Amino acid sequence: MRLFVAVNPPTRAIEELAAATASLRELPGADRLRWSETAGWHLTLAFLGDVPADEVPELSEKLATVAADHPRLRLRLAGGGTFGDRVLWCGVKGETSPLRRLADAVRDALDITDDHPFHPHLTLARSHHRAGGMRAMADAMNHFRGTEWEAGRIHLMRSETGFGPARYSVVKEWSL
């Protein structure tokens, strides 16, 4: 199974962001991007990759311990940015320092080494061919400031890819 650990924003936050990003799809270059489905919007804490199903119970024990050691967080989706000319994202504001500590604890507990430091964000779109216009789309998101919400759970998620957009499902979840 292709797995990752995430915080899933509530429906209201997703709806606000969907409304705020609808006009981005009309901007130059937007037609060359692969847009993420709103049903799959999440904040990735750690990517595990392909994991045998028989390892899920051990992962679950470790994640339960991490969740029990961390508080609920007040977050909001806000602003936007890019990772080069490959990824367009929405930012996260609020208790981001504790969110970083949570992501670090997840990665430590699961022995995940990652050369990239955790950067709280929600991926909106990707490009495999260096689409132009991403910076303008990110700038158009500068005004966006969603409603604050409480992140009270972490989720072990399964990603299924193939034809069409990726599909995500919750394998297990834990309260913070």
Side-chain angles (χ1 to χ4, degrees), residues 4-174:
F4 62 94
V5 181
V7 169
N8 292 332
T11 301
R12 180 176 178 184
I14 296 297
E15 289 171 349
E16 290 174 345
L17 181 59
T21 59
S23 62
L24 297 182
R25 294 175 188 252
E26 304 303 319
L27 294 175
D31 59 333
R32 294 188 306 272
L33 300 179
R34 190 180 75 217
W35 291 86
S36 302
E37 297 285 325
T38 58
W41 281 352
H42 60 272
L43 310 176
T44 301
L45 300 176
F47 179 72
L48 286 66
D50 293 322
V51 176
D54 62 353
E55 291 183 19
V56 170
E58 182 181 349
L59 293 174
S60 295
E61 288 177 27
K62 292 176 180 181
L63 290 169
T65 300
V66 170
D69 290 343
H70 287 81
R72 294 173 174 262
L73 307 168
R74 301 298 302 172
L75 302 172
R76 75 173 67 239
L77 300 174
T82 65
F83 295 133
D85 53 6
R86 298 275 187 179
V87 176
L88 173 67
W89 49 262
C90 178
V92 179
K93 301 291 183 195
E95 295 179 318
T96 56
S97 291
L99 182 61
R100 281 184 179 88
R101 287 192 292 275
L102 175 60
D104 289 345
V106 166
R107 291 173 183 202
D108 288 347
L110 302 180
D111 295 320
I112 296 171
T113 54
D114 192 344
D115 295 337
H116 305 293
F118 176 72
H119 179 86
H121 71 282
L122 184 151
T123 299
L124 298 172
R126 297 178 185 277
S127 172
H128 290 297
H129 44 39
R130 300 186 183 277
M134 264 198 203
R135 185 72 252 156
M137 290 177 220
D139 290 346
M141 287 294 297
N142 284 342
H143 70 282
F144 177 69
R145 184 174 164 87
T147 303
E148 185 177 82
W149 48 278
E150 182 178 77
R153 305 181 81 67
I154 60 172
H155 302 87
L156 180 61
M157 304 288 295
R158 182 178 183 173
S159 171
E160 296 179 58
T161 58
F163 294 104
R167 294 170 308 283
Y168 305 112
S169 58
V170 175
V171 176
K172 201 153 183 158
E173 61 184 65
W174 300 270

